[in-house]
Amino acid sequence: MQVYLIRHGIAAERRTYADDEQRPLIDKGRDKTTKVANRMLANGLKFDLILSSPLVRAYQTAEILQQVGLAKTIKTFEPLKPGGEIEPWLQWLQTCQLKNPQGKLALVGHQPDLSNWAEILLGGSVKNQMVLKKAGVIGIEIPQIGIPIARSTLFLLTSPKWLIT
Amino acid sequence: MQVYLIRHGIAAERRTYADDEQRPLIDKGRDKTTKVANRMLANGLKFDLILSSPLVRAYQTAEILQQVGLAKTIKTFEPLKPGGEIEPWLQWLQTCQLKNPQGKLALVGHQPDLSNWAEILLGGSVKNQMVLKKAGVIGIEIPQIGIPIARSTLFLLTSPKWLIT
């Protein structure tokens, strides 16, 4: 099973909204994210499902992925909020994997959480050694059976500049 | 300092040459590698130096990088041969870093050695958890001072399909 961890696009500056969760993507962020999404589609990628942080900037990113045709369905997933732990997702995954062991899943969220999760899947602990830019993508293959922690493999890590021409 | 670890392009099949070190790139390998190199150039990348495995398929890959204008100089580096250890390169690096702490370096070589070296730079040990396809690229930022082992960061890992349109 392949998991693509996708960071939200460029959003309005911090402190420009009373509620940080409401900060939306700015035009530049929408534009870059759309180009990244179209590039993924052009490369034949499709997701069985997008799980998104409920925060506006993340959910808008997920909607762009959906709108270009990368996935039919978005589900908000609370543990993808900033500071969320990976454990609830691992529990969710056990059910998901049983249904579709060959599936492709997108997780849309925030930093440093996404690279933290990736590092846990790869090595079992957070090391702060992966750089994930806004609208950047991490691709991880998780094993079909058993706990994926420290047993997954990394096949993609890129900033949007390598996906946009 | 940024280090780009680049795997050689698609070469003639194993056992088609009496001496494995002489296997050249095939046309498809040259074509893909040229596209990857042109994409890197289009993104503004330039290398201060390419260190290459002396094996034909690697050196031909390095020559393609050079020919598109990514670097002026290629040096063959014996430890980049299959099975080579990272230590001699770390020693070489100490001198190189003193000269150009902000530099960009390309290493052209083989698998699993390149991802092994990358894993050592990131986490201190080989874990076989990074997938590096032929003509694929790993990008690692190493600290300006001190030993880079377990202290570097990963900013790029991609197969050629994300670099070729």
Side-chain angles (χ1 to χ4, degrees), chain A residues 118-160:
Chain A
E119 289 184 328
I120 290 168
L121 290 171
L122 294 170
S125 63
V126 172
K127 297 188 169 173
N128 299 309
Q129 286 180 307
M130 290 175 88
V131 179
L132 183 63
K133 303 270 189 185
K134 294 189 180 85
V137 183
I138 296 172
I140 288 184
E141 176 100 29
I142 62 173
Q144 283 190 25
I145 295 168
I147 298 202
I149 290 179
R151 295 179 59 236
S152 302
T153 52
L154 183 72
F155 61 85
L156 181 65
L157 167 62
T158 181
S159 60

Side-chain angles (χ1 to χ4, degrees), chain B residues 7-12 22-38 56-65 67-68 134-135 160 164:
Chain B
R7 188 177 176 193
H8 66 79
I10 304 166
Q22 296 300 318
R23 282 197 287 132
L25 297 184
I26 59 172
D27 287 351
K28 190 179 171 187
R30 292 194 158 275
D31 180 55
K32 267 196 172 181
T33 305
T34 304
K35 286 176 176 165
V36 165
N38 278 318
V56 168
R57 59 192 181 275
Y59 198 83
Q60 287 180 338
T61 299
E63 283 179 322
I64 290 171
L65 302 177
Q67 283 157 11
V68 305
K134 294 190 179 86
I164 294 174

